[in-house]
Amino acid sequence: MRKKIATIVGARPQFIKCAPVSELLRKQFREVLIHTGQHYNPEMSHIFFQQLQIPEPDYNLEVGSHPHGRQTGFMLMRIEAVLLQEKPALVLVYGDTNSTLAGALAAAKLNVPVAHVEAGLRSFNRKMPEEINRIVADRLASLLFCPTRTAVKNLKAEGQLQGVYWTGDVMYDALLRHLPLAEQHSRILDRLGLSPKAYYLATVHRAENTDQPERLNEILKAFARLPLPVVFPVHPRTRRFIQTHFGERNWPNIRFIDPVSYLDVLVLQKNAAKVLTDSGGMQKEAYFLEVPCVTLREETEWPETVAAGANVLTGASAEKILAAATREVRVRCQGTDFGDGQAAARIVALIDKMLEKE
Ligand code: UD1
């Protein structure tokens, strides 16, 4: 009998991260895929399963949107019930969302070993819900898969030495695999009437930016004054805040569009003059695609991109955003910090080794 592994995902970036791992995992193990339902709009969830060829989840817990405690609590209850029924040998969690926290906690309380993909990342800003989620997930995990050497160092500095492995970044695996497909199949540039390098691509969804109207206003003011149009696929939470506080019509230079699929976002990033974002994933994807990035935050979990001269942190200051976005920058990607596109294979091999010992 193959050993059973329960994978827990729930939010858009986790679908991307699990795709390369699940594919390899299923060659050796029985995977039970649990979708918490944190992201539920078809364009935030279903399309990713389709494009990345992720198997249908075995369970959809349909948790939906709630304040943090309630959302995490519902997940905890429902994940526990599934784990009691399925009795997996290991639970695999990804990244830093409430789904990560709930998955790790439910498993640890049942004495099921936890493996954390994207372990060791730190912003050193505990006001971010994601920072709390990742610290707790790392404390509960017995296998910690680090995407960068900085992540390994962060864990060592916290005294976490056992079970820590550098694997490289599964998002790099996913990008290498899907970029050729994206370039072949995506029609997003035609659909939006865009020419390469004649637009900025922007995304904003972090609570620190969306929940403070002054910060969102500064960011939109900067976008409005940029010399090229700003294409802005809007996360549903951000859309609600923009509609409540500012309206979408008052910003002629900004093109608000619905969230786009993975293949489309790769093509939009590759052809952008620059990427302006508060997303963690897009800071790296821009770097991999050799497109300069402006990060609308005060800190980053990916300092390698800043050290490489590919990424500038501006916070939400309109002046700083404008200065960084209009500066001439050339980006060369030395991918080595993020691995070689084989992170998923290393992860599956390490899981296999650990479970063999049991
Ligand atoms: C979550 C993660 C964040 C990750 C991000 C990627 C946490 C704490 N945050 O933030 O780490 O970078 O996902 O997108 O887990 N909504 C919809 N439709 C959806 C999903 C969300 O309308 O399909 C709206 C809801 O109004 C909801 C709001 O977005 O209240 C926030 O969603 P939530 O899942 O709480 O967190 P995200 O902001 O997406």
Side-chain angles (χ1 to χ4, degrees):
M1 265 285 268
R2 289 175 168 206
K3 289 201 170 134
K4 198 188 271 181
I5 297 192
T7 295
I8 296 171
V9 292
R12 188 164 57 171
Q14 293 167 328
F15 310 142
I16 301 166
K17 288 168 203 170
C18 89
V21 181
S22 287
E23 190 188 325
L24 294 183
L25 206 61
R26 282 175 187 239
K27 296 193 172 151
Q28 269 166 275
F29 300 98
R30 207 175 133 228
E31 183 183 44
V32 177
L33 188 59
I34 305 170
H35 185 332
T36 63
Q38 177 170 358
H39 285 175
Y40 46 85
N41 287 8
E43 75 271 17
M44 302 280 290
S45 175
H46 181 69
I47 182 116
F48 288 81
F49 280 76
Q50 213 178 28
Q51 284 194 341
L52 291 148
Q53 295 179 330
I54 306 165
E56 277 289 301
D58 299 280
Y59 295 88
N60 190 322
L61 307 181
E62 295 182 354
V63 162
S65 307
H66 302 281
H68 282 268
R70 205 175 158 81
Q71 185 183 55
T72 313
F74 280 142
M75 289 180 190
L76 202 51
M77 281 162 60
R78 295 177 196 177
I79 293 170
E80 182 179 65
V82 174
L83 297 183
L84 283 169
Q85 192 176 319
E86 293 285 349
K87 302 189 175 43
L90 180 116
V91 165
L92 188 55
V93 296
Y94 290 85
D96 58 16
T97 74
N98 289 341
S99 301
T100 317
L101 172 65
L105 196 49
K109 294 257 180 179
L110 295 172
N111 289 323
V112 180
V114 175
H116 184 203
V117 176
E118 218 179 63
L121 294 189
R122 296 291 181 266
S123 63
F124 303 102
N125 174 3
R126 290 220 180 182
K127 288 199 178 127
M128 285 176 77
E130 292 87 350
E131 183 80 348
I132 308 292
N133 293 343
R134 49 172 98 97
I135 289 171
V136 177
D138 283 342
R139 285 299 163 274
L140 299 175
S142 38
L143 281 176
L144 297 98
F145 300 131
C146 299
T148 59
R149 310 276 178 199
T150 311
V152 175
K153 271 193 222 142
N154 290 340
L155 291 172
K156 290 220 162 114
E158 291 172 11
Q160 189 138 10
L161 307 169
Q162 289 277 316
V164 175
Y165 299 94
W166 174 87
T167 56
D169 186 2
V170 289
M171 278 193 107
Y172 189 44
D173 294 21
L175 180 138
L176 290 178
R177 164 111 43 108
H178 288 92
L179 187 60
L181 273 177
E183 296 197 291
Q184 203 183 333
H185 295 296
S186 169
R187 297 281 164 270
I188 189 77
L189 295 185
D190 288 345
R191 195 142 60 76
L192 297 175
L194 297 170
S195 306
K197 304 298 163 189
Y199 65 92
Y200 293 96
L201 178 68
T203 71
V204 179
H205 76 273
R206 286 250 116 78
E208 71 204 54
N209 287 330
T210 57
D211 295 10
Q212 300 183 47
E214 328 75 68
R215 284 182 70 99
L216 195 52
N217 188 38
E218 278 283 300
I219 291 170
L220 293 174
K221 258 179 22 199
F223 290 177
R225 284 163 53 197
L226 283 169
L228 295 171
V230 177
V231 175
F232 187 167
V234 198
H235 187 292
R237 72 177 293 137
T238 316
R239 181 148 251 164
R240 219 177 40 233
F241 282 102
I242 293 176
Q243 281 167 350
T244 312
H245 296 288
F246 313 104
E248 287 183 7
R249 295 188 181 189
N250 307 325
W251 311 92
N253 197 42
I254 310 178
R255 220 160 137 190
F256 298 99
I257 60 171
D258 286 336
V260 294
S261 70
Y262 182 57
L263 298 188
D264 285 346
V265 89
L266 289 182
V267 167
L268 279 176
Q269 286 184 91
K270 180 151 191 222
N271 290 286
K274 276 193 182 147
V275 170
L276 319 170
T277 190
D278 60 9
S279 148
M282 284 176 61
Q283 293 173 50
K284 289 176 295 170
E285 284 167 347
Y287 175 52
F288 301 150
L289 296 166
E290 304 195 319
V291 175
C293 182
V294 175
T295 295
L296 313 166
R297 292 177 49 199
E298 329 295 335
E299 67 281 309
T300 178
E301 298 79 15
W302 307 103
E304 300 78 8
T305 59
V306 176
N311 189 9
V312 182
L313 304 177
T314 60
S317 144
E319 289 315 315
K320 284 190 191 166
I321 298 168
L322 277 169
T326 50
R327 199 176 302 135
E328 186 77 27
V329 184
R330 214 166 249 280
V331 178
R332 281 276 151 266
C333 171
Q334 272 121 21
T336 49
D337 268 335
F338 297 88
D340 49 7
Q342 299 298 322
R346 286 193 194 92
I347 286 169
V348 174
L350 286 162
I351 290 175
D352 191 33
K353 207 163 125 196
M354 183 189 126
L355 291 183
E356 241 173 32
K357 280 195 219 142
E358 297 218 322

